[in-house]
Amino acid sequence: MPHDDFPPASVWLVGAGPGDPELLTRKAARLIAAADVIFYDALVGPAVLNLAAPQAERVSVGKRSGRHSKDQATIDALIVAAALAGQRVVRLKGGDPAIFGRTAEEVAACRAASVPVRICPGITAASAAAAAAGTALTLRGAARRLTFVTAHARAGEPLDLDWVGLAAEDATLAVYMGRAAAATVAQQLIAAGRSADTPVTVVVNASLPGERIIRGKLSSLAFLVETIGDRDPAMLLIGEAVRAPARGAMQQLFAAVQA
Ligand code: SAH
């Protein structure tokens, strides 16, 4: 083995990226191939799981909104138990483990049991969504900050976000788990002072075969997400940076360069 960073009885939390297996890091691919057991989320697709060794055990601990198949404490316990049994454990998560990935809990559970645990970062959905849409997430002079925010509220609780902070004109918002709350997000941002004309790009299944890009304005966000299926992951990008390039803008640019 070229590396000794994955001994038996240890855990790696691995970012699987947004779906396209080519968007995995080489490190992630190596760790997946070396694992004895892989605990994976619902958003991790077969193309990534196929990198596992044939004898590796694959355990779905998939969480989809509204249908949590295993609760977090159970997942923590499974990971720790597998490591204590001497296995090389990969906990495979969509995107980057550090972003809305319950990584803190899993790291704490491993440390509490004295199980060595490390993290392999991944390409987060916001990056994949911007790339798919052909836009940046920041824009010199106009979009100076980028906020990753989740619009997933705990069951029965209202969505309690810092709407005034999020409404700042120079902020790009990358809203994770935002489909169900899209109407509320738009309404609250506009109420907090964000322009109703703010550009919005919704990317469904970024980097996956069913990729879809839907563009509009903040005022139409609720309508834009209506056709998205329940099972399809969707990223809401809001702000001046994601404005669609004006028709003919590239042609003008080429003409100017050539002149
Ligand atoms: N750790 C992950 C995010 C987990 S939260 C990351 O860094 O990307 C899950 C949410 O991420 C989904 O509800 C959706 O909003 C977003 N998401 C994940 N994969 C996506 C994809 N391929 N396309 C669009 N959005 C995606």
Side-chain angles (χ1 to χ4, degrees):
M1 208 164 97
H3 298 265
D4 59 359
D5 60 357
F6 199 5
S10 69
V11 174
W12 273 94
L13 309 185
V14 175
D20 177 353
E22 287 196 321
L23 292 177
L24 271 181
T25 62
R26 294 173 62 181
K27 191 187 200 75
R30 173 173 61 82
L31 294 168
I32 292 167
D36 299 313
V37 56
I38 299 176
F39 296 99
Y40 65 95
D41 281 343
L43 282 177
V44 176
V48 172
L49 281 175
N50 283 344
L51 299 169
Q55 73 279 8
E57 193 186 340
R58 296 142 209 232
V59 185
S60 165
V61 292
K63 289 196 249 171
R64 295 307 325 238
S65 48
R67 289 186 288 120
H68 288 205
S69 54
K70 292 207 191 332
D71 66 23
Q72 189 59 44
T74 305
I75 296 172
D76 298 349
L78 283 170
I79 296 168
V80 168
L84 291 177
Q87 295 189 293
R88 293 182 180 88
V89 179
V90 159
R91 171 71 176 102
L92 193 55
K93 297 164 175 290
D96 181 23
I99 298 174
F100 308 125
R102 307 297 293 264
T103 280
E105 287 100 317
E106 293 173 15
V107 167
C110 289
R111 295 215 171 117
S114 300
V115 167
V117 57
R118 298 177 69 183
I119 299 171
C120 174
I123 294 182
T124 193
S127 298
T135 61
L137 290 168
T138 58
L139 189 63
R140 196 161 64 97
R144 293 185 177 90
R145 47 183 142 166
L146 169 59
T147 302
F148 293 172
V149 58
T150 172
H152 178 74
R154 286 174 196 237
E157 288 179 21
L159 189 55
D160 185 19
L161 297 175
D162 168 22
W163 297 110
V164 173
L166 296 173
E169 209 185 336
D170 69 345
T172 303
L173 308 182
V175 186
Y176 289 71
M177 294 172 269
R179 192 187 54 80
T184 308
V185 168
Q187 191 192 328
Q188 295 280 0
L189 287 174
I190 293 168
R194 193 111 199 207
S195 162
D197 290 333
T198 305
V200 168
T201 299
V202 180
V203 183
V204 188
N205 285 310
S207 87
L208 290 163
E211 181 177 280
R212 206 146 62 87
I213 293 153
I214 310 168
R215 293 181 197 274
K217 294 174 176 182
L218 190 53
S219 54
S220 60
L221 180 57
F223 167 75
L224 298 179
V225 301
E226 254 176 25
T227 59
I228 303 172
D230 271 355
R231 300 175 60 89
D232 294 325
M235 172 62 50
L236 319 181
L237 300 175
I238 301 170
E240 204 48 51
V242 305
R243 180 184 291 282
R247 213 177 277 275
M250 286 315 276
Q251 284 82 346
Q252 281 170 23
L253 190 65
F254 288 136
V257 169
Q258 280 162 2

